[in-house]
Amino acid sequence: MPPAAQIRTIQAKGDSSSMNESATHSAIETVIRQSYGQIVAYLAARSGDVAGAEDALSDAFLAALRRWPVDGVPDKPEAWLLRAARNRLIDSARHDQVRLRSSEYLQQIAEEAQTMATTLDSFPDERLKLLFVCAHPAIDVAARTPLMLQTVLGIDAARIASAFLISPKAMSQRLVRAKTKIRDAAIPFRVPEPQQWSERLSFVLDAIYAAYTAGWESGSDSSSTHGALAQDAIVLGRVLVTLMPSEPEAHGLLALMLHCQARRKARYSGDGRFIPLDRQDANQWSRPLMEEAEEHLRLAATSNRLGRFQLEAAIQSVHARRASSGETDWQAIALLYEGLARIAPGIGALVGRAVALGQAGDPGAGLDSLDNIPSDRIATYQPYWAARGHLLHLSGDSSDARKAWEYALGLTADPALRQHLVGRIAELGDI
């Protein structure tokens, strides 16, 4: 059961007024948000069975819902859940010896189960290993990033399916096949040797950034399940650059996330209104995070191997300079987007380039750039229509700007973003 479903189960059982039950629900929700991926990765690294690890942890959560209101929340709830889940894996392994990697597995897992809850304050973070396992060449390319998002970072299949524009049923089937492949092929849980990084690293980077984006887009509530993903992604990014200090794209990704995270508090007003980047108060941006981002961007540049994440981080670096200069160099941003669109012509890069052209003083060129994007890529891409409305407004075409913003309004359910678009439309007045 993925984290979102776990939380729904807890909330469904949360109608009791018992203080112990309330504390139990709160503790379990915290573990799900903060440690779900770590526990699954730790279990899977020892059993070689991702689906089995997820099932065992699900059973452990259900056991906690029964036990903790009576016994009290343990001092180390993660360790309690880990031991309960490992006991479930032991029972399963005894009934199904084919799942065992070696005859030593049961002994190893039993010994660790006896000591985990009493002697360890924390347990090793195996998520990076699991990320590389999910990127193994034996795993279907189309399943690699979705598998990382679900098993390591806790995003449910329906949300992943929406991001990849396929049905939830098809995505669930794809994920089940991938997990079965990991178990049956006994894919080793380890970070690969450097000569194997190149074939897997791009998928790992994409998954970490997708997790960060999911957290970034979750709104102003950084304590939510998806909001916590942003911090989780940054932690993984820092681990990755420690593992691969000479890999420029790892530094580029971390720099990109840090620059974005530096502005998180400025994205919303005190009453929850969305504030676009060019209207944010730069005094609210985190200088320590921006300085850390710049250091990683500098380290990436020493390799002379330019990549997508370095370019995206460089764009955010130009925006960050407004904190000291008071101005945004849109010409520089437009040039960087031009390079990004050439090496990684994703829809986000193409729309960003168009906006930068308009902000640099040529909204007509920005609109022409938008018109060149294939129609099948824009129909449901909300940022395209928001950008189109903005460029039309800069061009003086208020009527078409209104239409574009109204279309964008229909493509988002985010309350703050809807309020912002309604405000932009109202600024146009009666036409």
Side-chain angles (χ1 to χ4, degrees):
M1 187 183 299
Q6 295 279 5
I7 289 177
R8 286 194 294 270
T9 298
I10 293 166
Q11 291 170 340
K13 297 174 180 291
D15 53 0
S16 170
S17 59
S18 164
M19 181 177 297
N20 284 345
E21 288 193 4
S22 177
T24 294
H25 299 152
S26 177
I28 293 178
E29 286 190 29
T30 298
V31 172
I32 290 172
R33 292 191 175 106
Q34 296 181 356
S35 304
Y36 177 88
Q38 288 179 263
I39 298 174
V40 167
Y42 189 91
L43 293 168
R46 282 146 182 80
S47 68
D49 185 355
V50 176
E54 292 174 328
D55 290 343
L57 182 54
S58 179
D59 285 350
F61 280 126
L62 293 176
L65 284 171
R66 294 191 299 269
R67 293 282 303 277
W68 292 0
V70 177
D71 299 341
V73 176
D75 292 337
K76 293 181 280 189
E78 290 93 345
W80 191 100
L81 289 162
L82 186 59
R83 186 167 68 168
R86 185 172 281 119
N87 289 339
R88 162 72 164 75
L89 281 173
I90 292 172
D91 292 340
S92 178
R94 283 172 176 155
H95 286 91
D96 189 4
Q97 292 289 323
V98 75
R99 291 188 181 184
L100 300 185
R101 285 214 170 160
S102 71
S103 60
E104 299 175 355
Y105 168 63
L106 269 180
Q107 181 64 29
Q108 172 199 355
I109 206 170
E111 289 175 355
E112 291 184 1
Q114 291 301 315
T115 60
M116 183 58 61
T118 56
T119 64
L120 294 182
D121 292 323
S122 61
F123 46 92
D125 191 342
E126 307 277 22
R127 287 176 297 173
L128 201 58
K129 287 183 182 178
L130 187 49
L131 284 173
F132 277 102
V133 168
C134 294
H136 192 278
I139 303 297
D140 178 14
V141 170
R144 292 178 192 176
T145 297
L147 185 60
M148 295 179 209
L149 293 176
Q150 186 190 65
T151 62
V152 185
L153 300 164
I155 303 177
D156 60 56
R159 186 180 178 100
I160 298 169
S162 176
F164 283 81
L165 303 179
I166 68 172
S167 71
K169 181 179 179 180
M171 179 57 73
S172 294
Q173 292 172 341
R174 185 179 296 179
L175 292 168
V176 168
R177 287 195 297 269
K179 293 171 189 176
T180 301
K181 182 71 174 182
I182 291 172
R183 184 194 68 204
D184 293 349
I187 294 174
F189 278 73
R190 62 171 181 262
V191 175
E193 297 300 316
Q195 61 268 26
Q196 299 174 308
W197 288 351
S198 60
E199 64 181 348
R200 304 194 202 183
L201 181 59
S202 63
F203 294 98
V204 174
L205 293 171
D206 285 345
I208 293 174
Y209 186 50
Y212 182 80
T213 301
W216 175 257
E217 293 175 348
S218 66
S220 57
D221 183 9
S222 60
S223 65
S224 68
T225 302
H226 292 299
L229 278 174
Q231 285 290 353
D232 227 20
I234 289 173
V235 169
L236 288 173
R238 288 189 171 119
V239 172
L240 194 60
V241 298
T242 301
L243 176 71
M244 302 178 171
S246 61
E247 176 50 55
E249 281 293 82
H251 286 286
L253 172 60
L254 183 54
L256 170 60
M257 294 189 295
L258 290 170
H259 266 311
C260 292
Q261 194 70 5
R263 299 193 290 266
R264 187 176 186 96
K265 291 183 179 179
R267 293 181 72 217
Y268 296 89
S269 65
D271 57 2
R273 289 181 297 105
F274 172 74
I275 304 173
L277 178 55
D278 61 343
R279 299 187 182 186
Q280 290 175 14
D281 179 3
N283 291 321
Q284 294 186 37
W285 297 349
S286 169
R287 289 188 179 274
L289 287 179
M290 290 190 291
E291 289 170 0
E292 184 183 354
E294 288 299 302
E295 176 62 15
H296 284 288
L297 200 51
R298 185 191 66 78
L299 290 170
T302 61
S303 71
N304 292 318
R305 288 188 286 130
L306 191 61
R308 166 201 168 188
F309 289 112
Q310 293 169 74
L311 280 169
E312 292 201 42
I315 290 167
Q316 300 308 319
S317 176
V318 176
H319 280 298
R321 291 174 198 164
R322 179 162 69 83
S324 55
S325 70
E327 298 179 352
T328 301
D329 187 347
W330 284 105
Q331 292 284 357
I333 291 175
L335 285 172
L336 289 167
Y337 266 119
E338 185 64 36
L340 181 61
R342 291 187 180 187
I343 68 170
I347 184 69
L350 298 176
V351 171
R353 177 179 63 178
V355 171
L357 288 170
Q359 292 293 111
D362 195 348
L367 287 167
D368 289 342
S369 182
L370 288 181
D371 289 339
N372 288 328
I373 301 176
S375 59
D376 62 335
R377 300 183 69 183
I378 65 172
T380 60
Y381 188 64
Q382 192 271 348
Y384 170 92
W385 296 99
R388 189 171 190 85
H390 177 65
L391 292 172
L392 287 166
H393 179 54
L394 291 178
S395 300
D397 189 345
S398 297
S399 178
D400 282 347
R402 177 188 293 273
K403 293 176 184 177
W405 278 334
E406 288 175 344
Y407 194 86
L409 186 62
L411 293 174
T412 181
D414 183 86
L417 191 52
R418 288 181 61 84
Q419 184 182 22
H420 170 70
L421 288 168
V422 168
R424 294 303 306 267
I425 293 169
E427 290 174 6
L428 299 173
D430 296 327
I431 300 174

